[in-house]
Amino acid sequence: MLPVLVVHGGAGHIPKKRVQLSCAGVRAAVRGGYSKLQGQGSAMDAVVEAVTLLENDHHYNAGLGSVLNIKGEVEMDAIVMDGRYLASGAVSAVRKVANPVQLARLVMDKTSHLCLTGEGASQFARAMGVPEVPEESLITEYARMRWKNNLAADANPVECQMGKMGTVGAVAVDAEGNIACATSTGGMLNKMEGRVGDTACIGCGGYADNRVGAVSSTGHGEAIMKVTLARLILFHMEQGRSAEAAADEALAYMKERVGGLGGVVVVDPQGEWSARFSSLQMAWAAAQQQTLHYGLYAGEHFTQNIDDPY
């Protein structure tokens, strides 16, 4: 059953003209990440590679293509977690970095801290030799259009957010049985400057523990934070529930308790995995035993040989 990699491209409602690109993007990301696992790479290598590929795809709300804050600027959050030692690194409200997930890994590997934010994260990036990119290079016309449309006093950015492919993430178990997760996002559409959502918060946007499993979350950040969604799912798994049952129970609780919609990808140490969501759609893909799995709507599950052409 090992290795295995599962990725998501965000929970929400994806416009028809972007559906095909959304599904293609997660399949490409899972292929890229799985190639790391096939080459004896670690689970951490695989999730960072998969999320980097999604950050570089302008159809997602992460890295290139991130949504804009109220001032029309890009502020991004990301997290990684290594299930071997519960090591983690995160960045929040970071600017002018093409791949926040890679910066989050540097926080984990090169500091004694779990999260760096804002200008401190930018200073650390420069110290680590991470190239600074012009902010304009991360802004798409689609993001700018949606920012302008939600400046009106009667706009509902939370509702509109569900019309954008959102937060991206991945979970993996490598051939050694080690587990990792990674999550990255541009955050909430037209958010206040400095707002930090669930992604960078350990136990909310992601969690990985070799003893239990890993989760990467997507959805309404404030709701996810209120129920610590990722860790809640692993708690249910510790009580004996399967990855799928644990995800369904936690998502139902988040919807009932705080009215939040979202989605997750989950994996356990044996390689059992699940992609579950309470939103209308979530683009996801998984790779295991040379088979590529993918879907978009609830109950949808397609498969193909991972070596087959697109």
Side-chain angles (χ1 to χ4, degrees), residues 105-258:
R105 185 173 188 178
L106 285 170
V107 172
M108 179 181 71
D109 290 342
K110 302 296 184 181
T111 82
S112 60
H113 303 311
L114 261 67
C115 185
L116 295 178
T117 193
E119 180 54 30
S122 296
Q123 290 176 10
F124 173 69
R126 289 191 288 270
M128 290 292 103
V130 176
E132 186 173 283
V133 301
E135 184 170 50
E136 285 297 315
S137 70
L138 300 173
I139 299 176
T140 63
E141 284 305 311
Y142 185 65
R144 199 182 300 279
M145 175 271 291
R146 298 181 73 246
W147 168 69
K148 289 179 179 178
N149 289 349
N150 280 274
L151 289 175
D154 60 347
N156 186 342
V158 174
E159 183 175 312
C160 185
Q161 180 81 1
M162 302 310 281
K164 172 74 169 73
M165 286 170 272
T167 298
V168 302
V171 294
V173 189
D174 61 30
E176 302 297 320
N178 293 315
I179 298 177
C181 72
T183 310
S184 181
T185 189
M188 180 183 290
L189 179 66
N190 290 37
K191 62 190 177 183
M192 292 175 64
E193 185 177 13
R195 179 263 188 184
V196 177
D198 67 288
T199 295
C201 298
I202 190 170
C204 299
Y207 202 86
D209 183 346
N210 273 18
R211 298 180 180 180
V212 192
V215 178
S216 173
S217 309
T218 172
H220 183 207
E222 278 69 12
I224 289 171
M225 294 164 80
K226 288 175 184 177
V227 302
T228 55
L229 182 63
R231 192 61 188 84
L232 178 60
I233 290 170
L234 294 182
F235 168 78
H236 289 319
M237 291 169 66
E238 287 173 323
Q239 309 308 306
R241 290 171 182 80
S242 68
E244 181 175 302
D248 286 347
E249 186 166 347
L251 287 168
Y253 174 77
M254 184 172 76
K255 184 177 181 181
E256 178 271 325
R257 191 72 174 85
V258 296

Side-chain angles (χ1 to χ4, degrees), residues 7-156:
V7 308
H8 69 76
H13 172 65
I14 303 168
K16 284 184 179 180
K17 63 182 179 180
R18 298 173 76 88
V19 163
Q20 187 173 353
L21 294 168
S22 173
C23 293
V26 291
R27 292 201 302 273
V30 88
R31 288 175 190 268
Y34 193 65
S35 69
K36 295 286 186 181
L37 295 173
Q38 291 176 306
Q40 303 306 307
S42 68
M44 180 59 65
D45 293 334
V47 296
V48 170
E49 176 67 15
V51 170
T52 295
L53 289 168
L54 291 168
E55 286 177 337
N56 293 340
D57 186 330
H58 67 89
H59 296 101
Y60 301 96
N61 176 21
L64 172 64
S66 290
V67 298
L68 308 184
N69 68 15
I70 192 67
K71 294 173 67 176
E73 301 166 340
V74 173
E75 292 180 304
M76 301 166 289
D77 304 337
I79 192 170
V80 298
M81 189 163 182
D82 187 329
R84 292 177 297 173
Y85 314 113
L86 303 187
S88 182
V91 291
S92 62
V94 70
R95 301 169 182 256
K96 300 181 180 179
V97 172
N99 297 112
V101 73
Q102 295 182 13
L103 185 57
R105 185 173 188 178
L106 285 170
V107 172
M108 179 181 71
D109 290 342
K110 302 296 184 181
T111 82
S112 60
H113 303 311
L114 261 67
C115 185
L116 295 178
T117 193
E119 180 54 30
S122 296
Q123 290 176 10
F124 173 69
R126 289 191 288 270
M128 290 292 103
V130 176
E132 186 173 283
V133 301
E135 184 170 50
E136 285 297 315
S137 70
L138 300 173
I139 299 176
T140 63
E141 284 305 311
Y142 185 65
R144 199 182 300 279
M145 175 271 291
R146 298 181 73 246
W147 168 69
K148 289 179 179 178
N149 289 349
N150 280 274
L151 289 175
D154 60 347
N156 186 342

